[in-house]
Amino acid sequence: MAELDKTQREVGVPGDWTYASAPESRDIVHIEDRYGYFVGGKWLEPSETYETIAPRDEEPLAAIGQATAEDVGRAVAAAREAYADGWSSLPGSERAKYLFRIARLLQERSREFAVLESLNGGKPIKESRDVDIPLAAAHFFYYAGWADKLEYAFPNRRPRPVGVAGQIIPWNFPLLMLAWKVAPALACGNTVVLKPAETTPLTALLFCDVLRQAELPPGVVNIVTGDGRTGAAIVESEDVDKIAFTGSTEVGKEIQRRLAGSGKRLTLELGGKAANIVFDDAALDQAVEGIVNGIYFNQGHVCCAGSRLFVQESIYEPLVAKLERRLTTLRVGDPLDKNTDVGAINSAAQLEKIQELVASGKEEGAEIFQPPCVLPEKGYWFAPTVFTNVAQSYRIAQEEIFGPVLSVLTFRTPEEALEKANNTPYGLSAGVWTEKGSRILWMAQRLRAGVVWANTYNRFDPGSPFGGYKESGFGREGGRHGLEPYLRFDE
Ligand code: NDP
């Protein structure tokens, strides 16, 4: 065969496949120098403030009010007044109009919210843009739809609102957790006092402007900022009828202790240590994508993160090899860069916690793999990490790390996988990877987890209830179930 003349065939194939940076502009966001509390539709001046920063480079962003018990008292009084003054007796179809407006406004201002969320929290812009903000809007749309149908959701039970809801949310999905809490509360005719996490208050404060645009009656939603002391003041407030909390199991237990005997309602969405279980008949490349999404999405700051990977022994080696190879393609860096897969760790305290647990994993004898990646000098960063050779007793296999750290364990039979997966004080979520539908159902019926994903991971929909077993908490958010904690019934 004649030899091809290749000399004239130069094509422009680059030798270097490094991504050029694609930064999202932050010009769309306006951040005030100083924020007060949003109470009764007005801004109250704080007596004390702290600084909120951008975790990507520790840039100070704004001074935020540290609400005292008196400030919380004012917010609760405003919520009570709004409740009694008409909101609780407004026809459901009228309440729905406000919720629809809020949903539409969140969609219209989605880019602004996404940039602010990534700036203040450190999560990649593609996640806040494609997941957090669209899902937050979807929650308001979804619960707007229920507002005038509560009688049909709970036939013959005369659903009525509970009163004033105190809502305390964490820093991992700031606007989305706000939506999970505020949308069902309002749909059911309650009013709200909400506290965002200390490190991520900015999207909750921008949300107040959406409430103004939506012309929500004053006092229906009140936002107070501050650290755990502000949260504790909400919990202890006499005139709050219900507490909804998402955060650590430790604080959740403390809240439950404080509320015991008070007659206040409580729902808790707490930590997790989810098992992501891969059987030998699973589509391995898809499973690897699911594993990566399960633990590196949002830097692993996810209560339902698939942080314990259980791999059937016969596929252990090829799966781990594929996984480690895939890790080398993850792009760690600026949260505002549209190419970024893994952003900044939310705070110095969280970074320290991750480092401490990773050190314990090494000391206890696990083998660590981290892809080569250059981490920025300023800010809080941690490379995606996989631990192999992990025993069930190691801290990294038992404790919630809440960072981009995966512990890999093995099993031989479905029974063994199940026993190991359920061997945890938590029970929020799980994943099963297999091509057999019957095995999926067998596992799902026996896994002690509120959500079981099959051949996928971290899928959310407002119509689907979410919540835990055991130390992962109680009560459900999302779906028709998510209405119940905000309703009283005549049984
Ligand atoms: P926390 O449970 O402390 O925070 C959750 C929310 O509760 C925040 O708004 C917090 O305020 C508030 N809070 C803190 N103390 C009290 C209190 N005594 N009474 C009422 N409210 C309070 O979680 P952290 O942010 O400290 O994170 C610690 C660990 O918790 C993480 O490493 C992670 O393992 C886990 N976590 C789990 C989450 C989940 O979704 N399951 C979410 C967040 C964390 P403030 O922000 O000011 O402290």
Side-chain angles (χ1 to χ4, degrees), residues 168-172 177 195-199 226-233 235 245-249 251-252 254-255 258 269-272 302-303 350 353 400-402 428:
I168 301 163
I169 56 171
W171 42 260
N172 51 347
M177 289 300 105
K195 186 192 96 66
E198 182 185 357
T199 56
D227 62 18
R229 290 170 292 170
T230 308
V235 171
F245 172 82
T246 297
S248 63
T249 296
V251 174
E254 172 65 24
I255 291 176
R258 286 205 207 151
E269 200 265 271
L270 308 177
V302 185
C303 47
Q350 189 58 30
K353 180 182 168 186
E400 186 179 46
I401 301 175
F402 226 62
L428 197 54

Side-chain angles (χ1 to χ4, degrees), residues 115-138:
V115 171
L116 192 59
E117 199 74 301
S118 286
L119 197 58
N120 197 200
K123 65 174 66 200
I125 184 75
K126 70 176 175 191
E127 289 179 7
S128 38
R129 182 194 62 198
D130 299 347
V131 182
D132 293 53
I133 312 303
L135 270 178

